[in-house]
Structure formats: structure tokens, C-alpha cells
Amino acid sequence: MEFLTSYFRRILPVVLVLAGICQTTTAVAGDFDFSSAWQRVSQKSHVLKAEQANIDQAGYHQSAARDLYLPQVNLFAGYLHLDEDITLGPDDIFDSMPAGDLAGAQFYGLLQSQGISRGQASAGLTSTISDRDISSSSVNLLWPVYTGGRITAAQEIAKASFDEAQQHQKLKVYGQFESLCQRYFGVILTGKVLAARREVEESLAIHFEHACLLVQNGQIAEVERLQAEASHAKATVDRQKAASDLRITEAALTRFLQENATARPSTGLFIQRKLPLLETVMEQTLNNYAGLAILDAKEEMVTGLIKVEEGKYYPEIAVIGNFNLYEEKSLASDLMPDWFVGISVSVPLIDRSGRSGKVKAAKSKIEQVGALRRQARQDLSLVVEKTYRRMEQAMNEYDSLASSERLAEKTVELREKAFDQGLATSLDVVDARLYVAGVKIQRAHAAYNHVMELAKMLVISGQINEFTQYAQTGTI
């Protein structure tokens, strides 16, 4: 019996090592360190691609706003069909004169003295100004040179909108980074839980075999063997559940990375003890947080809107011009110039767009944005401090559990020896084994929480590029 006991104790480390080798061999094909995983998310994330399209759209709007300073040149071509020709005869001229009746009587009297009737005179002296079918084409110009600052304000609004789109993209990037951390290190955490559950199952299997031998030799009661058997069965169920959890987290990471084969992380959990000061993190957050920059962009847009509405009080000045490319030959076309240039001035006297109310509304919006910014800075300060304290708490929890783990391991060793000598029950050994696993799992959770709080701290302070260095220099 003692030979078998010593034999099982000798082969247990070998079994655990072989199990680790098999697990490592399986993971080689789809291994990703965190840096590679983040690079893949940055390149393939549909969320980030959508935000990039939003930035492109804002950039095109900004480019369009720059074109407002350019002149507008139009090519015009037209065709008109009138009900009749446009003519001008002596009767039309005399009818338009104040003394037309007297002048007409004298004119027609003079012609009649020469033997020319009134009808002959009217027909012979009637001129066709324009035919009833008219076609023409021209190029006209409109070039605003002063709009009361509205063009500049529109360009400022477009720029602020582009800045806002960029900051929204940063928030999406940070969100994807946090999601990757949760999935990536979630796989590591569930893997450690599985390893602890597997270790309990294997040790309780050996304990069950010991109990069977001791029952055969009459050293312990049958109930002790049954207790060992039940404990081993429960450990098997716990191990199976942990294995299922690991497959779920691996599937979540694989889908997130858009991989076909199962993706397994190669960067482990860590504890980073060289942390920046809380005051430094606070300053970086208040200077770099994208949410505050979005409020700044909104304030710039509202300021531009105020300038647009105030610009309606000022005159508009524009250069205008026209050049006739083609027109049908007629008296009217001969009378009209082929081209002209000039300056137009438009002064608003009464405006029905409500410009005064819109200016007041925009100023109220600025006050609202200012209040939101102050509240956001206050909330951010609280979030930074809470995150920093939780990160330290997780590190302290991990460190404090080290002694508990050593004590638990020593307790298992003593309980197993006592059980072999009939001085302890099977339940004592099982409790000791479960306590070891519980402490290891608790330490793994503490390390996971530490990493998650560190990632959150780097996200809100805009320092996610530092995460890889923290992971490389961290300890476990």
C-alpha cells in the first residue's frame, strides 16, 4: 500500500507536466500575443471601419466648405416659344407718347399728302424685334466676396465636425480595446480555473484510489471511500464546467479577432507594480479624454453657428458677370450687350428667419456645453481615482493570497499523510484540496481584475499604447 501511495505521488507531477505539454502543443497553431491581437482588431474591426467612414464623410464636408470661397460659374442654354413675334410699329410708338395722338395725326397727315395711306405706312414702318422662337446660351458668374463672416463660420463648423468625428473614433477604439482585454484575458482566466479544477480532479482520483486500498486493508470505513468517490465525481463535474467555460471564452475571442481557427492568447496575466502616480493619471485623463474633446468640438460648432446667424445682419457683396455664347440674330439681340460685369450688394432690412432668436438659442447651447464639461471633469476625476484604487486593491489581494496558497499546499500535504495513517477523514483531504484550488482561482481573479482596471485606466487617460509595455514588464 505504501508502495502504491509513493508511486502515485511520483507519477502525479509527470501526469501534470504531460497534460501541460499536450495543452501547449494544441495551442501553438492559433497563438496570439496581445500586441498581435490588438493589431488584428485595429485592422479588421467592422466597428472601427464604420467610424473611419464617418471620419471620411466629415472630411469631405470640410473640403466642401473650403469651396465656398470659389466663384460659381454656370453654363446656361434656353429655348423659348412665344405666342407671336415681338414687333414695334409707328402706332406702338405714338401710343406710348404723352402727345402721341397729335404727333400721329401730323405724321400720318404728312404721309397722306404724299399719297401713302395709313395702312401702308404702318406696315412699311413696323420692325420685328424678335421672332417667336428664341434660343440662346451664356456663361454667368457669381462670386461672393463678402458675406458677413458666414463662409468662414461654415468652414469652422465643418472643421469642428471633423474633429468631433475623430474623437468619436477614439472612443470606439478605446471600446474595442477594452473588449479585447476582457475576451483575451478572460481566456487566460478560465484556463487557470480549468487548470485548478483539473488538478483537483486528478488529486482526488489518486485520493479515491488510496481510499479503496485502505478499505480493502480494513484501515478505514466504507463511508470514507464513498466520500472520496463522491468528491472525485463532483470534481469531475467542476472540471467539465470549467472546460466548457474555456471553450466559450475561446470562441468569443476567436470571433472577435475574426479568425477561422481557435485563437489562444500567449500573453499571460500579470501584476504591474511600477504604476504612475494617481495625480499623473488624473492630469493625463483631463487633458486627453476624448469625451471632453467632443464637448470642445461641439462648443466650436455652436460658436460657428452664432457667427452664421450674426452674419445675416451684414450686407452681402458679390461680383457678377455674364457672357453670351450664342443668340439668334434679331433687333433685340443687337440691342443687348454681349457681356457685362458688375458688383451686387444685398442689405437685409427685415429678416423672417428668426436670426435674433437663433443667436440667443446658440448662446444658451454654449452655456449647456460648458456645464456638461464641468460635470464631465468632475465625474472623470472620480472614475480615475476609483479605477486606480481598485487596481491597487487587486494587486494587494493577489500578494496577500500568496501566503494563503503556501499554507493551503502545506495543509494538503499534512492531511494526506494523516489520512494514510488513519488520523484524518477523507472529507479533511477533500476540503484541503478544494481550498488550494479556491485560493489559486481567487489569485487568478485578482490578477485578472488588476489587468482589467489597468486597461480601463489607460483607456480613460488615452494611454492604451502603453499597455503592451506594462504587460511585458509586469510580474506574476
Side-chain angles (χ1 to χ4, degrees), residues 140-392:
N140 50 60
L141 165 73
L142 177 64
W143 191 353
V145 294
Y146 179 74
T147 59
R150 278 177 285 176
I151 291 180
T152 303
Q155 292 175 340
E156 292 175 354
I157 292 174
K159 180 182 180 302
S161 179
F162 179 76
D163 295 339
E164 182 185 19
Q166 287 183 315
Q167 299 306 320
H168 275 295
Q169 187 201 35
K170 283 186 179 181
L171 290 180
K172 291 296 183 181
V173 169
Y174 296 158
Q176 292 290 286
F177 180 83
E178 270 196 282
S179 296
L180 175 62
C181 288
Q182 292 171 356
R183 289 167 171 80
Y184 188 93
F185 292 103
V187 175
I188 299 292
L189 176 61
T190 52
K192 287 186 175 296
V193 172
L194 175 60
R197 296 301 183 192
R198 182 182 289 117
E199 182 178 344
V200 171
E201 181 188 19
E202 292 170 351
S203 62
L204 291 184
I206 296 175
H207 173 68
F208 173 58
E209 293 177 1
H210 287 182
C212 291
L213 293 174
L214 292 175
V215 169
Q216 292 176 5
N217 294 331
Q219 293 179 266
I220 62 174
E222 175 67 15
V223 68
E224 296 293 339
R225 186 195 66 79
L226 293 175
Q227 177 63 52
E229 183 180 8
S231 299
H232 175 254
K234 185 178 184 304
T236 300
V237 172
D238 291 340
R239 188 264 305 163
Q240 291 172 345
K241 182 180 182 302
S244 177
D245 292 339
L246 177 60
R247 288 193 294 271
I248 292 173
T249 55
E250 285 179 341
L253 177 62
T254 302
R255 298 296 183 273
F256 194 73
L257 295 178
Q258 300 183 34
E259 279 288 306
N260 295 324
T262 300
R264 296 185 177 90
S266 59
T267 301
L269 293 170
F270 61 91
I271 298 294
Q272 179 53 249
R273 306 182 190 280
K274 297 180 180 179
L275 298 173
L277 297 176
L278 175 59
E279 293 75 12
T280 303
V281 178
M282 190 79 70
E283 181 181 359
Q284 291 174 338
T285 300
L286 297 179
N287 290 335
N288 301 328
Y289 185 62
L292 294 177
I294 288 176
L295 292 177
D296 293 339
K298 288 187 178 297
E299 185 175 5
E300 292 178 7
M301 285 189 283
V302 176
T303 301
L305 181 60
I306 292 176
K307 293 180 180 179
V308 169
E309 296 301 327
E310 289 179 342
K312 293 180 180 179
Y313 288 95
Y314 299 98
E316 291 186 19
I317 302 176
V319 175
I320 60 174
N322 187 83
F323 181 79
N324 293 327
L325 297 176
Y326 168 80
E327 55 186 0
E328 292 185 346
K329 188 66 175 178
S330 66
L331 180 59
S333 63
D334 292 339
L335 295 176
M336 292 296 295
D338 290 334
W339 61 270
F340 69 85
V341 293
I343 295 177
S344 68
V345 179
S346 174
V347 181
L349 299 178
I350 299 177
D351 184 271
R352 62 186 182 91
S353 65
R355 55 192 176 185
S356 177
K358 290 180 179 179
V359 170
K360 293 178 181 178
K363 290 182 178 179
S364 298
K365 185 68 175 180
I366 287 183
E367 294 178 2
Q368 179 189 15
V369 172
L372 291 175
R373 182 189 294 107
R374 291 188 293 271
Q375 183 64 44
R377 292 176 67 88
Q378 180 179 338
D379 294 342
L380 276 175
S381 300
L382 177 60
V383 171
V384 169
E385 185 169 359
K386 184 188 297 185
T387 303
Y388 194 90
R389 300 304 181 196
R390 286 179 175 175
M391 183 174 55
E392 288 184 325

